[in-house]
Amino acid sequence: MKLSQFKFKLPESQVALYPPYRAFTDENGNEERIYRRDECRLMVVHRKSNTIEMAKKDSDGNEMRDADGNITQYLTFRDICNYFDEGDVFIFNDTKVFPARLYGTKEKTDAKIEVFLLRELNEELRLWDVLVEPARKIRIGNKLFFDDDGPMVAEVIDNTTSRGRTLRFLYDCPHDEFKRELFALGEAPLPRYIIDRREADADDMDNFQTIYACKEGAVTAPSTGLHFSRELMKLMEIHGFEFAFITLHCGLGNFDPIEVEDLTKHKMNSEQMIVSAEACKIVNDAKQAGRRVCAVGISTAKATETAVGTDGLLKEYNGWTNKFIFPPYEFGMTNSLLANFYHPESTMMMVACSFGGYDLVYEAYKTAVKNGYKFGCYGDALLILDD
């Protein structure tokens, strides 16, 4: 397929800048927010019957619409429980986002520099692979200061790409203390489409993290997982759903613009991933029993498609993947997918179209725009079922 087939007009007002929340005014007249991550809208796509579902149903099974046919109550994320049965499995990505975006000042000029941490290269030498902005101001030998009152200083020792640099942090202390101090200076690594419209705030480090995150290494969140609250996970347990956890450390490659019209020529950056024997057993037992197996998010779908065997079962895996999924593609592992609504021409949108069928999912996207659904990591959700 061609890149241009994934274009659509997305109004800026429909890019979610915050998770769903309820606002109230405190006694001092200040706005306070209570975030409700599981209260986003949910759209359900049935790929075999070629139907799109948006409205809640009443006790008689009729969609809740007014006399003019307008939806009076939309499906919310909590309604996912109604589409699965006891014994069905949800596969989650348990990667943990670290506060990767820092702001420093350049020695002598005091120019403000954004430093985006990608990964640690050497613990002993305090070497990090980073991106810098504006890159034209940062050369080998420059020093960056990150705290006016503290000792955190870094020296640029190499250029890696046009924006990429290798930094050596000049901080003499045990490694655990260094990481703690470094991360204390950082903020939630929100996507550019958010950070260009507002600053990250104190709530974002919680909001931009799944509640089950435990394996540190991601520089962006597995966004579909952000919709799951502790209350919803408990409700899912009561329904008898099973959970399997894999790890894929999400990188920035998902946000890189595709610069070729022919999608076969696009190359994804590699991301580290781990699939344990325990996860394989949970998933494979359910699949062999004819249960639904749902990949929660694009990163999970990518990981499971990397680790699936020719027999359609999940295999243990510890390595890297640069898998790029776009239509036409036949999934070998899962039979349902939870996703968000993504930006035009994004690789994430392409995975969703691959799973649900290009025509049907593209129509779902147009329907979402028409009905005011929110897009992006803090936006609304899309469930694609194989029925």
Side-chain angles (χ1 to χ4, degrees):
M1 296 194 77
K2 304 298 182 183
L3 176 64
S4 55
Q5 292 176 266
F6 295 89
K7 284 184 178 179
F8 63 94
K9 187 175 181 180
L10 175 61
E12 187 171 324
S13 61
Q14 286 182 240
V15 177
L17 300 184
Y18 297 93
Y21 65 88
R22 297 180 185 181
F24 64 94
T25 303
D26 65 17
E27 59 186 13
N28 297 317
N30 300 314
E31 182 183 88
E32 297 286 343
R33 295 176 178 178
I34 299 177
Y35 292 97
R36 306 278 191 174
R37 59 173 70 207
D38 58 11
E39 291 187 357
C40 69
R41 286 196 207 174
L42 175 70
M43 181 185 292
V44 181
V45 167
H46 303 268
R47 64 182 184 183
K48 285 186 178 176
S49 59
N50 207 48
T51 56
I52 297 172
E53 191 178 349
M54 295 186 292
K56 288 180 180 286
K57 294 180 180 179
D58 60 24
S59 57
D60 295 324
N62 299 312
E63 289 191 338
M64 302 181 75
R65 296 176 181 266
D66 61 22
D68 296 322
N70 300 310
I71 296 174
T72 56
Q73 286 196 44
Y74 282 89
L75 291 169
T76 65
F77 194 74
R78 283 196 171 209
D79 290 314
I80 60 169
C81 293
N82 299 330
Y83 296 91
F84 293 88
D85 298 315
E86 182 178 354
D88 290 345
V89 171
F90 289 79
I91 311 175
F92 297 95
N93 181 2
D94 64 6
T95 188
K96 185 176 182 179
V97 178
F98 62 88
R101 182 175 280 113
L102 290 74
Y103 294 95
T105 56
K106 184 180 175 184
E107 185 181 30
K108 297 180 181 178
T109 68
D110 285 338
K112 186 177 181 180
I113 305 297
E114 177 185 308
V115 174
F116 197 98
L117 304 173
L118 296 177
R119 62 191 179 99
E120 190 170 34
L121 300 174
N122 186 297
E123 287 189 11
E124 183 178 356
L125 298 178
R126 309 285 196 263
L127 298 182
W128 278 77
D129 183 21
V130 307
L131 298 176
V132 295
E133 188 68 38
R136 67 182 184 280
K137 295 185 177 182
I138 302 301
R139 297 183 174 87
I140 294 174
N142 289 159
K143 288 184 179 178
L144 300 173
F145 295 84
F146 293 93
D147 189 348
D148 292 338
D149 301 319
M152 190 67 71
V153 181
E155 181 182 11
V156 182
I157 65 170
D158 196 13
N159 298 328
T160 54
T161 63
S162 60
R163 294 176 55 222
R165 303 289 186 270
T166 300
L167 295 188
R168 179 172 60 221
F169 284 90
L170 310 176
Y171 196 92
D172 186 17
C173 67
H175 183 259
D176 288 348
E177 180 184 338
F178 161 71
K179 286 281 288 289
R180 188 166 56 250
E181 293 295 325
L182 178 65
F183 287 175
L185 296 171
E187 64 182 31
L190 298 176
R192 198 83 248 172
Y193 59 79
I194 292 180
I195 209 68
D196 285 345
R197 293 169 173 83
R198 71 166 179 88
E199 294 182 354
D201 59 35
D203 292 325
D204 283 309
M205 206 57 234
D206 288 329
N207 290 337
F208 201 57
Q209 192 83 268
T210 64
I211 62 166
Y212 45 80
C214 61
K215 308 286 178 56
E216 184 181 277
V219 295
T220 189
S223 59
T224 305
L226 299 178
H227 300 304
F228 288 86
S229 65
R230 288 176 175 81
E231 294 80 9
L232 177 56
M233 296 284 278
K234 179 57 66 174
L235 182 62
M236 294 168 70
E237 288 181 9
I238 294 171
H239 276 77
F241 306 151
E242 295 191 52
F243 305 150
F245 295 91
I246 59 92
T247 305
L248 186 143
H249 293 312
C250 305
L252 294 183
N254 296 304
F255 300 105
D256 288 343
I258 298 177
E259 298 178 343
V260 291
E261 176 69 3
D262 182 355
L263 296 180
T264 63
K265 296 180 179 179
H266 177 67
K267 303 299 180 185
M268 292 287 290
N269 291 337
S270 293
E271 297 165 305
Q272 188 177 14
M273 58 168 280
I274 301 169
V275 178
S276 67
E278 180 183 5
C280 291
K281 177 170 174 46
I282 294 170
V283 171
N284 293 337
D285 285 353
K287 189 165 185 182
Q288 290 175 318
R291 298 292 186 183
R292 273 207 170 111
V293 177
C294 181
V296 177
I298 299 304
S299 63
T300 302
K302 185 192 307 184
T304 54
E305 285 305 297
T306 298
V308 68
T310 55
D311 56 359
L313 300 179
L314 194 62
K315 311 298 181 184
E316 291 183 64
Y317 192 98
N318 190 338
W320 297 75
T321 181
N322 63 349
K323 195 169 189 66
F324 176 35
I325 299 173
F326 60 93
Y329 180 88
E330 184 174 347
F331 280 73
M333 182 65 250
T334 56
N335 49 32
S336 54
L337 173 68
L338 263 170
N340 279 23
F341 287 98
Y342 306 104
H343 281 65
E345 299 183 324
S346 64
T347 60
M348 292 88 78
M349 177 188 177
M350 293 172 187
V351 177
C353 286
S354 299
F355 191 89
Y358 171 80
D359 292 334
L360 181 57
V361 174
Y362 192 80
E363 181 62 30
Y365 266 65
K366 291 194 296 183
T367 302
V369 171
K370 180 180 178 182
N371 286 271
Y373 282 67
K374 294 290 188 177
F375 284 66
C377 64
Y378 282 154
D380 293 319
L382 174 68
L383 172 62
I384 306 175
L385 298 174
D386 190 26
D387 59 14

